[in-house]
Amino acid sequence: MATQRTPTPEQALAAFSPGLPFAVALSGGADSTALLLACARRWPGQVRAVHIHHGLQAAADGFAVHCQSLCTALGVPLVVRRVHAAHGPGQSPEDAARQARYQALAEAVHTEWPEVRDVALAQHADDQVETLLIALSRGAGLPGLASMPAHWHREGLNWHRPWLAMPGAALREWLQLEGQSWVEDPSNTDERFTRNRIRARVLPALAQALPAFRETFARSAAHAAQAQEVLIEVATQDLLQVGVPPRIQALQLLSRARQALVLRHWLRQHHATTPSTAQLTELLDQVAACTTRGHRLDLKAGQGHVVREGLQLGWHAD
């Protein structure tokens, strides 16, 4: 059986058409080093770089030094931003660091280069598989199974992941051929983290059993993302019908599945929170039981509580 040929970094960038100039998020690792090198060669003088210094480990200063040296050699302007990502209750340190990183990236771009509207990130095919497997291990729905999008809009910027068809090993091989060094994050080998265990143990086994797993898993994630887009359209239409905040009687006219869909959408879009499956199940049960004026409702949902306020639902942050 013929196997699909891995694209070169240059070929992977063929489908990437950012507005110029644009920025690259540069950690100093192999993936972002390869991205900056390939982009600087293809769009000379049009690339900017942002390095986020988390200060979470002793090696962080070395990452910044590498990034500065690389950018100087390539003639790429670099800005370094330091962040302190303290995680809140129920939030993982990794998620807190990721949220802080995106915010710092956006602020750096808006402040340093107001003309920039596009940012490239270096997540690759292995990262996408890891994200999908983590979502499966948590029993995620379609939003989780859709994994990482190739393009999206956030904080007034267009974000891109041009490496999603590239295996991580192919990027490292290319850097070695180019004689380009990178830095290794010591935490990437710490198997206390689920993503690292998947990388070290699961991906090699998948490569043995299912050689085309990167392509087929990515296809499944794309199908999930397409289905999720349809559900968002349905939820948006239903929310127009039930109102903001949702009217209880209007909710009760919908099927239970569509109630779940519209309540998730309401909480996510208007209160930036997502209920757990157990919380949503209890909320649906209580909505069904709201048949009298005296029925009270006060349930935990994400980072707050859904309450009954007369004929409609309300939400109070913790």
Side-chain angles (χ1 to χ4, degrees):
M1 181 176 65
T3 57
Q4 184 171 338
R5 181 175 172 269
T6 299
T8 65
E10 292 88 349
Q11 291 168 335
L13 286 185
F16 179 37
S17 300
L20 301 178
F22 68 99
V24 171
L26 180 64
S27 70
D31 315 324
S32 65
T33 295
L35 182 60
L36 184 69
L37 179 60
C39 287
R41 287 182 177 177
R42 181 165 183 179
W43 294 282
Q46 298 293 330
V47 182
R48 317 288 184 258
V50 182
H51 175 71
I52 303 302
H53 189 309
H54 288 285
L56 295 175
Q57 51 186 296
D61 288 339
F63 301 164
V65 170
H66 166 81
C67 292
Q68 185 61 71
S69 176
L70 175 64
C71 288
T72 298
L74 295 175
V76 171
L78 170 72
V79 61
V80 177
R81 282 287 190 272
R82 290 178 176 264
V83 299
H84 176 65
H87 62 283
Q91 185 184 34
S92 71
E94 297 84 3
D95 185 55
R98 181 170 57 254
Q99 295 299 328
R101 184 162 59 249
Y102 276 111
Q103 185 175 357
L105 281 167
E107 289 176 354
V109 170
H110 287 312
T111 302
E112 300 293 330
W113 308 295
E115 73 280 11
V116 169
R117 291 291 178 269
D118 294 78
V119 180
L121 305 174
Q123 287 95 350
H124 51 67
D126 294 346
D127 296 319
Q128 185 76 309
V129 171
E130 292 161 11
T131 301
L132 176 58
L133 291 175
I134 289 171
L136 285 168
S137 74
R138 294 173 177 170
L142 283 177
L145 300 181
S147 303
M148 297 184 294
H151 316 283
W152 76 103
H153 189 80
R154 173 179 177 170
E155 305 274 358
L157 295 168
N158 302 307
W159 302 78
H160 308 268
R161 292 186 174 106
W163 274 174
L164 286 184
M166 290 291 299
L171 294 173
R172 290 168 181 263
E173 290 171 5
W174 182 71
L175 286 176
Q176 289 171 343
L177 289 173
E178 296 292 330
Q180 177 60 59
S181 64
W182 64 88
V183 292
E184 291 286 359
D185 186 338
S187 69
N188 285 343
T189 58
D190 186 345
E191 293 193 15
R192 290 177 297 177
F193 298 108
T194 302
R195 186 175 290 273
N196 291 345
R197 291 198 301 275
I198 291 173
R199 187 177 305 139
R201 306 180 192 182
V202 179
L203 296 193
L206 281 172
Q208 288 278 338
L210 304 167
F213 75 94
R214 291 179 180 86
E215 293 81 11
T216 56
F217 282 26
R219 198 177 308 139
S220 290
H223 291 325
Q226 187 176 56
Q228 178 61 19
E229 287 183 13
V230 175
L231 291 181
I232 290 174
E233 291 179 7
V234 173
T236 300
Q237 293 168 1
D238 283 349
L239 192 57
L240 288 174
Q241 295 298 316
V242 303
V244 178
R247 300 186 305 275
I248 294 171
Q249 284 191 339
L251 274 172
Q252 291 170 336
L253 294 175
L254 299 175
S255 68
R256 187 178 174 95
R258 285 177 73 161
Q259 288 180 38
L261 190 66
V262 75
L263 287 171
R264 275 201 198 96
H265 188 66
W266 167 57
L267 290 169
R268 187 184 308 115
Q269 293 297 313
H270 292 272
H271 301 293
T273 195
T274 302
S276 69
T277 300
Q279 290 170 349
L280 186 60
T281 298
E282 178 63 18
L283 178 56
L284 292 171
D285 290 343
Q286 291 299 316
V287 166
C290 278
T291 56
T292 64
R293 288 184 177 272
H295 187 96
R296 296 181 65 249
L297 191 153
D298 188 342
L299 296 172
K300 176 70 174 171
Q303 301 301 311
H305 285 255
V306 173
V307 298
R308 181 174 181 175
E309 297 176 342
L311 300 180
Q312 60 195 23
L313 299 179
W315 188 81
H316 297 160
D318 287 339

